[in-house]
Amino acid sequence: MPTPSMEDYLERIYILIEEKGYARVSDIAEALEVHPSSVTKMVQKLDKSDYLIYERYRGLILTSKGKKIGKRLVYRHELLENFLRMIGVHNEYIYQDVEGIEHHLSWDAIDRIGDLVQYFQEDPKRREVLEQIQKQNSEESN
């Protein structure tokens, strides 16, 4: 399994390739707000771990293993964003909260969160009940 840092890179590389058709070291560095030399080192590490194929000055491509992990990491991130939004977390906190928790949850926990999101999406009345509970609790704490 990749480390949390490797996951961040794989997720970003996957997104860049999906959006632009390619991912250059400079694009990755800009997206992750790191130095290009750090990207080069990590890309070489991901190459050695068979997540991608990197040729200096020619670019990189994800292997099937890298694509599979990248897609799953993007799903995890989007699921957690949807979950936090669904339970009423303010938008200004969602990205930071997801970044803070996504590497610390097991895939079993992610699957259970997915089940819960599906449960609320299948019947909008369930969401309304949750919102009523949140409103009541908010009023009681003020």
Side-chain angles (χ1 to χ4, degrees):
M1 281 303 290
T3 65
S5 182
M6 292 168 82
E7 287 183 348
D8 286 340
Y9 278 85
L10 285 169
E11 181 180 357
R12 182 55 50 197
I13 291 166
Y14 182 86
I15 290 169
L16 284 167
I17 291 173
E18 286 294 304
E19 290 176 351
K20 297 171 74 171
Y22 60 89
R24 298 181 311 212
V25 167
S26 59
D27 298 324
I28 300 164
E30 182 181 334
L32 293 175
E33 298 177 353
V34 297
H35 292 286
S37 59
S38 299
V39 174
T40 300
K41 287 177 188 172
M42 180 57 79
V43 164
Q44 290 169 342
K45 190 174 183 179
L46 291 168
D47 185 9
K48 287 180 183 167
S49 298
D50 297 322
Y51 291 110
L52 55 81
I53 298 169
Y54 173 67
E55 292 183 28
R56 196 170 181 167
Y57 307 116
R58 298 196 69 179
L60 58 93
I61 58 169
L62 289 170
T63 62
S64 59
K65 176 181 171 181
K67 286 179 190 174
K68 182 179 177 181
I69 294 281
K71 185 175 184 176
R72 195 164 187 204
L73 295 171
V74 169
Y75 164 78
R76 176 181 72 187
H77 191 100
E78 290 173 353
L79 174 68
L80 290 171
E81 282 186 0
N82 290 336
F83 173 68
L84 294 178
R85 194 169 288 112
M86 183 177 292
I87 63 171
V89 174
H90 294 286
N91 280 333
E92 63 192 271
Y93 304 119
I94 289 178
Y95 180 80
Q96 185 176 349
D97 286 348
V98 169
E99 288 298 313
I101 65 173
E102 66 183 341
H103 301 295
H104 302 285
L105 296 173
S106 68
W107 285 103
D108 184 49
I110 295 297
D111 290 341
R112 299 302 67 81
I113 290 170
D115 295 342
L116 189 59
V117 168
Q118 180 181 348
Y119 173 80
F120 280 106
Q121 288 175 337
E122 286 176 351
D123 185 351
K125 290 183 183 192
R126 294 172 181 156
R127 176 86 189 273
E128 291 170 18
V129 171
L130 176 62
E131 289 170 355
Q132 289 171 357
I133 292 169
Q134 290 171 333
K135 184 177 179 183
Q136 179 182 351
N137 289 341
S138 177
E139 289 170 357
E140 288 175 3
S141 66
N142 290 333

